[in-house]
Amino acid sequence: MALVPCQVLRAAILLSYCSILCNYKAIDMPAHQTYGGSWKFLTFIDLVIQAVFFGICVLTDLSSLLTKGNDSQEQERQLKKLISLRDWVMAVLAFPVGVFVVTMFWSIYIYDRELVYPKLLDNFIPAWLNHGMVSKVM
């Protein structure tokens, strides 16, 4: 029952997404106290979608490792459902929203930074956290 490098990579990506989410939620930013809080930012929503997707990936990997060698039809059926859920989340949510967020953010950022990430936010959000929230998806 050895771990494959892709399974370790998925677990590491999930942990990094969770650390970025925790750091972002720990920031005391005025926009978090207004209507919608951090959920009004598409980059934050995308980060949550990616974290859920990689959580499903890790769960799928663990399930396939635990059911390997079993001849149970029920476990195989449940694993196939989990794999189809993972594939659906990737095709419908994670990939399209992720590509849209990265493409639009950096396009608008190059055009006029103040429209998407004003210099005022540098006081609240470190540059590494902004880059991680936006670019890590790709």
Side-chain angles (χ1 to χ4, degrees), residues 17-136:
Y17 276 123
C18 291
S19 69
I20 289 174
L21 279 170
C22 291
N23 281 324
Y24 182 74
K25 293 303 281 181
I27 295 171
D28 186 30
M29 199 166 73
H32 289 178
Q33 281 80 35
T34 62
Y35 179 75
S38 56
W39 289 97
K40 67 180 163 225
F41 302 118
L42 190 57
T43 52
F44 181 77
I45 294 170
D46 182 43
L47 192 64
V48 171
I49 290 171
Q50 297 295 327
V52 168
F53 170 68
F54 277 100
I56 293 171
C57 288
V58 169
L59 185 63
T60 304
D61 289 341
L62 290 176
S63 296
S64 66
L65 282 174
L66 294 175
T67 60
K68 192 176 282 188
N70 279 349
D71 292 332
S72 173
Q73 296 292 342
E74 179 64 26
Q75 287 179 346
E76 285 293 320
R77 192 173 62 79
Q78 294 294 334
L79 183 60
K80 286 182 182 179
K81 281 185 180 179
L82 196 57
I83 290 171
S84 66
L85 173 68
R86 179 197 66 191
D87 294 344
W88 182 86
V89 170
M90 175 62 176
V92 174
L93 292 173
F95 183 74
V97 174
V99 169
F100 178 77
V101 165
V102 172
T103 305
M104 293 311 301
F105 180 87
W106 290 114
S107 299
I108 296 171
Y109 188 92
I110 289 169
Y111 177 72
D112 185 7
R113 176 191 172 157
E114 293 295 316
L115 292 175
V116 290
Y117 191 69
K119 289 191 185 281
L120 172 71
L121 290 178
D122 287 338
N123 298 331
F124 300 103
I125 301 175
W128 68 268
L129 186 57
N130 177 49
H131 192 60
M133 282 179 34
V134 177
S135 300
K136 188 175 182 125

